[in-house]
Each structure stands twice: as C-alpha cells, then as structure tokens.
Amino acid sequence: MSLTEAIKHEARAVGFDAVGICRVDVASSRFEGHGPGTGTSDIEHHPSLPDSLYTRLLEWLERGYHATMSWMARSPAKRADPSQVLPGCRSIISVGLNYYTGHRADERLGNGRIARYAWGTDYHRVLEDRLAQLEGRIARLAPGAVTRSYVDTGPLMEKAWAQQAGIGWIGKHTNLVSPEYGSWLLLGEILTTLDLDPDEPGTDLCGSCTLCIKACPTGALGEPYVLDARRCISYLTIEFRGSASEIDPEIAARMGNHIFGCDDCLDVCPFNLRAAATEEPAFQPKPLSLSPGLDRIAAMTESEFVTTFAGSAVRRAKRSGLQRNVAIARRHPVH
C-alpha cells in the first residue's frame, strides 16, 4: 500500500465518509522570502488554485458580494495559495462527513426552521477531533511530515480545494456537490508537506438544471455559481450582526420561518434527494432543532440561550441575532 493509499485508509478508519487529495503548485514557492519580486502583487499572479477559480474569487469580492464578512477580503492570494498558510505545502487532503439524517423539520405555524447542519452537535467539534486523529496517524506513517488542519476556520477556499481533490464539484448554488452524498458533506482539510498522489478533480454534473436558483426565496443566486451574500438567508441569519431594521424589508419579507441558516437551495438538488442518511450520532437532531418554537426562543434569557444551545452551531448567531431572526419570522409567518 502506498503512502497515499494508507492515508486515505486511515481517513476512513477515523470516520470520514469522503477523502480526496490534490497537489499544490510549488511554482508559487519561488515568491517566498524577501527581496525584489516578492511583493504581494507578484504572489497574486501565481496562486496555486486554478486561474478560473482565483479570478472568480477576486470578481466576487470586487462586487461586494461578501457583504460585511470583511475577513474574506483579506489576502485573497493567501486563500488561493496554501503555501502561504503552511510553508512548503505540497498536498491537501480534503475530507467530508455526511450530516444528512433523513429527519424532517416540523414547520407548523409558530415554529422556525434551523438548517440541517446545526441540528446536532457543532460540526467543528466533530471534524476537528477526527482531523487531529488523522494527523496523528499521518505522523506515524510519515515521521517528519508537517501538517495543519482546518474546519472552515482558516484562510482557505475549502470547497474549491475539495473539488480539486475529486470529492465533488461546486454546484450552481455554490455549495460542493458529491455524486454519493450530494451537498450533505461537512468539509475539512489537512495541509501537508508530503508529496501525495492526486485524485482527478471533480466534474461538474449540474448540466442545465437550475432548480437551486429558482428555489432561493431572496434571489441570492442571481446567476449560476455566484452567491450574493447580501441577499442570502444563511448570511443574514448567522453572520450579519445588524438589527432587523438594517435588513431590506423586501428581503426580510421573503425570509419566512428561517431563523438559523437555510437549506432551500439544497433541498431541491436532485443529488441530495437520493443521499443516504448518516450513522453519526453527533448529527442526530435534538427536539428543539426540529421544531424550534418561535415564542419559546423569543422569551429566552441569555443564560437560557447558552444552556439550551450548548455545544450547538446555533451559538454562532448569538442570542441577539437569533431573537432578531425570530422577530422577522413572526412578522412574516409561513402558512
């Protein structure tokens, strides 16, 4: 068994459902160090990521589609070149964990809707633990190798690298789509100095389908493969820190009962409709996740919020953000 095969075997052994590997273009490493020709402008012309993906990132940022997420505009070249994140990086091991449980949300009048990935335990905890296990096994397989892992917390375009690693492709809704698991994969990656055998990049199988674009309630998918976060329910209910009055009334009226995230564009994807349910206990939904009563959440104190959503990704929105979302949902009930 080759080192690459052994690492993939260990990835599955620690519980990952999908694993793929891509190579990092070492040509960019000549811009490291000091002296003439090492400025940011030089590096930005030599990202490891394919030019088309890097160009799309720059265009997306220039259009202001990242909204108030200012961290996404910092050092775009770094996001495209992992060797600036881990010096000497030669390969990226992308992994995925299926979080689809097969349950259905209770959307009767008076209930909100929480995105599926936040129904159980915070996925960061689950993936970070398994990535740490995998790094330990890589260290035993290849002593001296340097690794660094991330779960959507580092300056990496994780979906783009997952596509390069063959796990799937970036669909028209801008989420990764796997032929086996649809978009129900939570992603993580390990950067390493090891030279590993790459997989073939994922092939786009969206074809002429536009179901996800038509399903978006707020028109955040104005064109295929481009998401305007300023109109995206996931962004507005999680990352946006402003008040309800700062959300465009026309958009707020279309947010419906979504109080944390949104699965609308995923629910209609044909590849998601045939996905198998996960066996991961951590992702099994808690009762409040399936039927979050708007009145109950609106009345929560800070301590009740912290206790109720302990260990949940919902904590990301903070109590103020979640109750703002609840107030919007109560003004625009779904019948």
Side-chain angles (χ1 to χ4, degrees), residues 120-123 125 286 306-315:
T121 301
D122 188 342
Y123 67 92
R125 298 184 178 190
K286 300 173 182 178
V306 171
T307 300
T308 301
F309 293 105
S312 167
V314 175
R315 291 279 297 274

Side-chain angles (χ1 to χ4, degrees), residues 8 11-12 16-22 92-97 158-170 176-189 199-203 205:
K8 287 184 174 181
R12 295 188 177 92
F16 288 114
D17 296 303
V19 57
I21 293 172
C22 65
I92 296 179
I93 305 163
S94 289
V95 294
L97 195 56
E158 62 175 4
K159 290 180 286 189
W161 290 115
Q163 176 175 325
Q164 290 303 112
I167 288 182
W169 71 95
I170 298 176
L176 191 80
V177 186
S178 158
E180 296 81 18
Y181 301 100
S183 294
W184 310 124
L185 281 179
L186 295 165
L187 302 175
E189 50 279 329
D199 291 287
E200 287 292 324
T203 300
L205 300 179

Side-chain angles (χ1 to χ4, degrees), residues 157-237:
M157 297 174 65
E158 62 175 4
K159 290 180 286 189
W161 290 115
Q163 176 175 325
Q164 290 303 112
I167 288 182
W169 71 95
I170 298 176
K172 292 178 182 178
H173 48 28
T174 75
N175 292 288
L176 191 80
V177 186
S178 158
E180 296 81 18
Y181 301 100
S183 294
W184 310 124
L185 281 179
L186 295 165
L187 302 175
E189 50 279 329
I190 295 178
L191 281 61
T192 179
T193 53
L194 290 170
D195 279 313
L196 300 175
D197 301 325
D199 291 287
E200 287 292 324
T203 300
D204 188 336
L205 300 179
C206 286
S208 60
C209 180
T210 57
L211 289 175
C212 59
I213 296 174
K214 296 174 182 175
C216 180
T218 58
L221 295 167
E223 56 187 281
Y225 309 104
V226 180
L227 174 72
D228 184 350
R230 299 170 301 183
R231 303 183 65 89
C232 178
I233 292 175
S234 285
Y235 161 75
L236 291 170
T237 57

Side-chain angles (χ1 to χ4, degrees), residues 86 135-136 138-147 192-194:
L86 176 66
E135 283 187 281
I138 291 173
R140 290 192 289 274
L141 288 169
V146 180
T147 61
T192 179
T193 53
L194 290 170

Side-chain angles (χ1 to χ4, degrees), residues 36-230:
T38 60
T40 301
S41 60
D42 290 330
I43 295 176
E44 288 184 349
H45 288 296
H46 293 79
S48 300
L49 207 59
D51 289 342
S52 59
L53 292 172
Y54 180 60
T55 299
R56 281 166 54 186
L57 168 63
L58 294 181
E59 292 175 347
W60 186 75
L61 292 170
E62 288 171 359
R63 294 165 80 171
Y65 283 178
H66 57 301
T68 62
M69 297 180 288
S70 58
W71 65 88
M72 301 191 75
R74 298 190 198 116
S75 306
K78 191 173 184 179
R79 291 184 175 276
D81 187 356
S83 68
Q84 295 186 49
V85 180
L86 176 66
C89 180
R90 303 297 295 272
S91 307
I92 296 179
I93 305 163
S94 289
V95 294
L97 195 56
N98 178 20
Y99 69 92
Y100 180 71
T101 65
H103 291 81
R104 288 185 175 275
D106 180 354
E107 297 194 77
R108 286 177 291 181
L109 188 63
N111 285 341
R113 176 73 184 270
I114 293 174
R116 278 189 180 85
Y117 77 84
W119 283 359
T121 301
D122 188 342
Y123 67 92
H124 291 91
R125 298 184 178 190
V126 181
L127 268 74
E128 285 170 358
D129 177 67
R130 295 190 183 183
L131 284 169
Q133 292 182 52
L134 182 54
E135 283 187 281
R137 297 189 182 201
I138 291 173
R140 290 192 289 274
L141 288 169
V146 180
T147 61
R148 184 172 299 170
S149 62
Y150 292 101
V151 182
D152 74 20
T153 52
L156 295 169
M157 297 174 65
E158 62 175 4
K159 290 180 286 189
W161 290 115
Q163 176 175 325
Q164 290 303 112
I167 288 182
W169 71 95
I170 298 176
K172 292 178 182 178
H173 48 28
T174 75
N175 292 288
L176 191 80
V177 186
S178 158
E180 296 81 18
Y181 301 100
S183 294
W184 310 124
L185 281 179
L186 295 165
L187 302 175
E189 50 279 329
I190 295 178
L191 281 61
T192 179
T193 53
L194 290 170
D195 279 313
L196 300 175
D197 301 325
D199 291 287
E200 287 292 324
T203 300
D204 188 336
L205 300 179
C206 286
S208 60
C209 180
T210 57
L211 289 175
C212 59
I213 296 174
K214 296 174 182 175
C216 180
T218 58
L221 295 167
E223 56 187 281
Y225 309 104
V226 180
L227 174 72
D228 184 350
R230 299 170 301 183

